[in-house]
Each structure stands twice: as structure tokens, then as C-alpha cells.
Amino acid sequence: MASFWDSYKEFWSERFSFLSNYSNAIQRDRPLHPWTDSDVHQFIALDPVHGPALKSARDAVQFGITGSALGAAFTAGYAWKYSRSLHGAALSFLAGGVFGWTFGHEIANHALQLYRLDTLAAEAKFLEWWKNKSE
């Protein structure tokens, strides 16, 4: 049974290996201090490699928020218009928000060409920079 558990744990740790990039920022005795937009802009100006990738990733969030708001409003509106069901409209609101967020990020991925950038490395580098700066 122990060997099964070890192989199971190894299988899923390989699938979620990207979480190890954030382990030095997440698994701490004291949490990191919150950062502001000016701190992020300072990092973007200082790092010529990861700065533009982080800026593009932050800009992509606006696409996701817009898509989420539009998806939630339109799907809830259609559900309310055709069913007059409050719980159906509420579930449509939630599902439309999730679907809109997903579509918004896909649009941002193509519009901002995020597929060419390593945004995960940029975020990890920012967290490392913030940890060193705040200590």
C-alpha cells in the first residue's frame, strides 16, 4: 500500500510541479508584505527580461475581468428573460462569469501574444525580487 501511495503522490507532484515555483513565497513562517502597483511598476522598470512579461500578464487580467463581467451579465440576462427563474439566473451568472473569464484570457493570450512569453517565470521572479526587497 505504501508503494502505491508513493507512486500516486509522485504522479500528481509531476503534474503540479509548477507549484514549486511559488513555494519559497507561499511556505514561509511569516507571510510576505502586500505589494502595491508602484512596486510592480518598479520591478517592470528594473528587469528587462521578466518585466515586460509581467506587464503583459497584468494587462491580460483586464481582458479576463471584462470577459467575466460580460459573460455573467449576458448569460444571467438570457436565463432571466427566458425562464424567470431566480436560481437559474444565479447559476447562469456564475457559469457565465467563469466562461467569460476563460474566453477573455484566451483573447488576451492571442492579442498580447502571451504564448510567446514565460509569464510563470516572470511571476516567480517578481515574488523572489519582492521577498528580497521586503526582508
Side-chain angles (χ1 to χ4, degrees):
M1 185 67 169
S3 66
F4 172 75
W5 178 251
D6 290 338
S7 64
Y8 183 78
K9 193 168 136 181
E10 181 182 344
F11 174 81
W12 285 110
S13 66
E14 288 176 7
R15 299 303 180 273
F16 290 100
S17 63
F18 64 91
L19 293 175
S20 64
N21 294 337
Y22 298 110
S23 64
N24 62 352
I26 294 172
Q27 299 170 347
R28 297 173 46 92
D29 295 335
R30 294 178 311 144
L32 286 173
H33 299 293
W35 56 81
T36 62
D37 284 339
S38 64
D39 297 322
V40 175
H41 292 301
Q42 182 181 4
F43 174 78
I44 290 170
L46 287 175
D47 194 334
V49 175
H50 297 293
L54 185 66
K55 183 178 184 327
S56 295
R58 287 177 57 90
D59 293 342
V61 171
Q62 297 304 319
F63 282 84
I65 290 171
T66 303
S68 182
L70 290 173
F74 281 116
T75 56
Y78 281 126
W80 181 254
K81 178 180 177 181
Y82 292 112
S83 72
R84 298 285 183 205
S85 167
L86 186 60
H87 68 282
L91 289 174
S92 295
F93 182 82
L94 292 174
V98 171
F99 298 150
W101 181 270
T102 304
F103 288 130
H105 267 285
E106 280 301 312
I107 291 169
N109 192 19
H110 293 290
L112 302 174
Q113 299 181 350
L114 293 178
Y115 52 85
R116 293 183 177 185
L117 304 173
D118 189 3
T119 56
L120 181 68
E123 291 170 357
K125 196 70 161 175
F126 170 74
L127 287 175
E128 180 183 330
W129 175 80
W130 182 245
K131 183 183 87 164
N132 292 338
K133 184 180 176 188
S134 64
E135 287 180 346

